[in-house]
Amino acid sequence: MVDTTNTTGFGGRTVPLIHPLYVRVTHWINALAVLIMIGSGWQIYNASPLFSFSFPANSLGGWLAGGLLWHFAAMWLLIANGLVYLTLGLATGRFRKLLPISARAVLRDAVAALTGKLRHDDLTRYNTVQKLIYVGILLTGVVIVASGFAIWKPVQLRPLTSLLGGYEAARFIHFFAMAAIVLFLVVHIVMALLVPKSLRAMITGR
Ligand code: HEM
């Protein structure tokens, strides 16, 4: 059964469940893990920058070894938590909420968003731009984990590293996936603050 149909009596009213408990718990654990991964990833990057810039010194971990310890610790949290979210999402049919996505619907909702005509009154459904962005960020999560493994164990996981174009290419893929997640986070948090009831629903479920 799709969880958005779950309801409960509340002061005589029927209040739809927007985000089941497992979505809320895994969402906030994921947010914590991602912030640790980004902060410590910047620290690791600074030891051998790919580009002519560095991130703020002492991002997380204080130096290279400290950054690596944080990165490898949070990585297991991110992966285990992600697997719980994906497994329960598939088992409960949650991902039907993120589909279908058609180019025409994305265009229609993007134009509505840019002209201030997009409605946010029904939180049980995502608009098509949201669907596209959420599916995109979930796929980016897969790419960043795969490219991370490719540069962590390039010898043991040589087929994976080769698939991504080799060690150097995998480093760039890992970097650009991080940049996409940071960009997503900025927009995502601004939207959550602009529509505070969506933030409340991700905390209380309703
Ligand atoms: C720390 C700051 C964050 C805040 C304040 C936040 C807030 C929210 C809110 C309010 C929603 C519900 C949106 C709605 O119902 O319209 C949501 C959903 C979602 N967020 Fe976040 N989020 C944060 C971090 C993240 C991170 C780091 C990721 C992934 C990299 C992420 C991925 C998602 C996804 C995929 C959904 C849809 C989940 C589903 O419906 O199954 N969020 N977030």
Side-chain angles (χ1 to χ4, degrees):
M1 187 171 71
V2 179
D3 38 49
T4 49
T5 60
N6 287 348
T7 55
T8 190
F10 184 75
R13 280 185 304 136
T14 301
V15 183
L17 177 66
I18 298 169
H19 303 300
L21 183 64
Y22 86 85
V23 170
R24 285 175 278 143
V25 171
T26 54
H27 177 270
W28 293 116
I29 291 178
N30 178 66
L32 174 70
V34 166
L35 290 179
I36 296 175
M37 293 301 281
I38 291 172
S40 56
W42 288 1
Q43 188 75 60
I44 299 165
Y45 168 97
N46 284 351
S48 174
L50 282 172
F51 302 100
S52 57
F53 64 86
S54 292
F55 292 103
N58 298 327
S59 292
L60 181 61
W63 65 306
L64 174 61
L68 283 168
L69 285 177
W70 276 105
H71 213 62
F72 290 140
M75 154 181 121
W76 296 117
L77 180 65
L78 182 85
I79 292 173
N81 185 64
L83 287 176
V84 170
Y85 170 74
L86 290 177
T87 307
L88 291 177
L90 286 172
T92 60
R94 167 83 181 178
F95 294 130
R96 266 177 278 169
K97 200 177 169 181
L98 300 179
L99 296 170
I101 300 170
S102 70
R104 176 191 287 231
V106 170
L107 197 65
R108 182 196 61 212
D109 288 350
V111 170
L114 293 174
T115 52
K117 289 184 187 140
L118 201 58
R119 299 173 66 92
H120 299 287
D121 42 1
D122 181 6
L123 290 184
T124 61
R125 298 170 60 185
Y126 290 136
N127 65 61
T128 323
V129 175
Q130 266 177 309
K131 290 181 188 176
L132 182 69
I133 290 176
Y134 288 152
V135 170
I137 205 66
L138 293 176
L139 293 177
T140 308
V142 174
V143 170
I144 206 160
V145 170
S147 56
F149 273 107
I151 55 182
W152 179 37
K153 299 281 180 196
V155 176
Q156 295 88 334
L157 301 174
R158 177 174 293 180
L160 176 65
T161 313
S162 303
L163 185 72
L164 295 174
Y167 181 83
E168 280 302 319
R171 267 194 85 188
F172 279 98
I173 292 173
H174 201 62
F175 179 90
F176 286 117
M178 176 280 296
I181 291 174
V182 171
L183 185 65
F184 162 81
L185 259 181
V186 172
V187 176
H188 191 58
I189 293 175
V190 168
M191 290 309 297
L193 295 177
L194 286 177
V195 189
K197 63 182 177 179
S198 73
L199 189 55
R200 201 161 51 237
M202 194 39 103
I203 296 168
T204 66
R206 299 179 193 280

